[in-house]
Amino acid sequence: MAKVYGIDLGTTYSVIATLDDNGMPEIVVNQDDGSNLLASAVYFQDGGDPVVGEVAKNQKDIEPERVVEFVKRYIGKSDAPTYEFDNITYNPITVSSLILKRMKEYANAQGHDVKDVVITCPAYFGNEERAATKQAGLIAGLNVLNIVNEPTAAALNYCCREFKENRKIMVYDLGGGTFDITLFDFSVDESGNALIDIIETGGNDRLGGIDWDARMYDYMCEKYAFENGISQDDLDVEVQHKIKAQTEQAKKDLSTLQKKSYTISYDGDRTRIELTREDFESRTQDLVEQTMDFVSTLLENAGLSPNDVDVALLVGGSTRMPMIKDAVEAVFPNKVRVEDPDLAVAKGAALAAAIQWNERIRQIIDNDGETVADPVNPDEKIDTNLPTSAAEAKGAEIAVIDIMDGGTVSDKLTRSLGPAVFIDEEHYMIDNLLFVGDEIPAEAEAVYGTRVDNQAEIKIKVFENVVTDRENKYVKPSIDENGDEQYTDPALKVKMIGDLRMELPPYTVKGTPIRVVFRSSAIGLEVTATNLENGESANTTITTANTMTANELDEARTRFANIKTSGQI
Ligand code: AMP
């Protein structure tokens, strides 16, 4: 019986899970160090296999220039760095693929056969980051069944054990650099199948543990300056570095202790500073309040009150701070649950993988053996355990814990998507076709006319943004001082993510109708244009500057197929 796997590809730690014979999620242990987690760090040792995990992370003290960490922050982003080791250039996608590969290799060494997976990503990830995450999976030789939002996975893991009836669940996810809240509706249909539906999402992708770290740093500097009778502005750079190095640990310490002392040595002097949780909390109360403001807005948008919510589930490392639990508890008394904060996402991903697999199996049976083409990457040579005939597919469903068997998890778009359409000779606006909150897979179309007689080709620029108002769906560019069009409002997160060209036959008259179809899955966007005069069409899967082109991807897959990873130096 084939197995499927769920992978939480985290900024600092990653986790791989599968389902046991009863359909319950279980973690595949990292045998390199016996832990449930794999540190998301890669050490490119001179002349050996890349080393992934805690050992790699610790190597930072000895050879910092050969250790790469935190690549998730840059995956699919325009400011992604590259790294060069032994004449091979790596980027966040290929480094992520090594982390995925390490998990696959240590699982396979224990008798697993990791091929078909679901990988999770933050809910705020846009199209490019999702496509890049999927590419990392492909390069690692995995068949990525789906990309699922982290809070959705956490909710799935929680619901599968706890509920037999309808519930509303809020997932409050405060990580290292981001804050996400998601409101779910969990229901059970007449046949006993679970349905998890996202009602509303919100948050801030620039608010997280590092903001608490920054306040802790100020707090420690202030104490140090006071003890030495100097002004905070006069702290030596070396002292600042020493304090910085202790900041995160001090924050974590105060999650369990009411107070703790630290010693900072500088220039032969030792300064003892005492920190208290009470002081730290009063210095960071406004940050907690910011998160709670998002919670209020979320409830307001959903037309709900705290009473309507049955469970407030805390996820993410920063929810270990007692002040977070207290703040959420104050609004949702007796409804706060903290469970498996490190493992919940991977376990939920394993459930999502099984649900997705079973859906594919049913499609293969229904289509009499035709595998349903991946809408995003139709012709990839994928290594999968999925059966290729209806006969083989019979009985190939994976056992999932009762309530999730035949269950569905709906996911929603986190970006609105639309083509740019010209409003006069030179200026264009984005005409959103798909919207934030549309259920995935989503599809929409519009018909546009060609602009001039004898137009040789059309070029459809494709944009993502976070406009939600369907009545006001156009995004107008503003004009900068040079007279250039700029989509400058960062709050709208407008980003061009690709384009599609199609040649037009000679003598095409102005106003010739072109149908444009946008089809989006959790992983990516497919755009099709059809000339309705002659039926010709062009089609593209959006890959952008910040993901790899089909050729680059092919090349990376071939090259990385031979790279082995190691858990030891
Ligand atoms: P995540 O992205 O969910 O792994 O969360 C990482 C963040 O959680 C980092 O900012 C950590 O400093 C923070 N974190 C982890 N453990 C604790 C703790 N015990 N107390 C406070 N913050 C923590």
Side-chain angles (χ1 to χ4, degrees), residues 9 49 124 131 142 166 211 292 316 451 510 536:
L9 183 59
D49 298 331
Y124 63 84
L142 300 168
N166 300 1
D211 297 293
M292 295 314 289
R451 284 164 53 217
K510 178 179 173 178
E536 277 174 9

Side-chain angles (χ1 to χ4, degrees), residues 12 173-176 209-210 213 248 251-252 255 316-318 320-321:
T12 45
D173 179 357
L174 189 63
I210 48 172
D213 294 342
E248 192 185 0
K251 174 188 76 172
K252 291 183 179 175
S255 289
S318 297
R320 289 208 173 87
M321 291 185 287

Side-chain angles (χ1 to χ4, degrees), residues 232-250:
Q232 221 176 303
D233 298 334
D234 295 335
L235 292 191
D236 189 88
V237 177
E238 196 186 325
V239 171
Q240 292 177 16
H241 280 309
K242 292 209 156 151
I243 292 177
K244 196 148 257 163
Q246 297 198 47
T247 299
E248 192 185 0
Q249 191 53 48

Side-chain angles (χ1 to χ4, degrees), residues 433-434 443-448 515-519 528:
L433 295 179
L434 299 174
E443 186 174 321
E445 61 176 61
V447 176
Y448 304 103
R515 183 172 59 216
V516 176
V517 180
F518 273 42
R519 208 170 287 125
T528 310

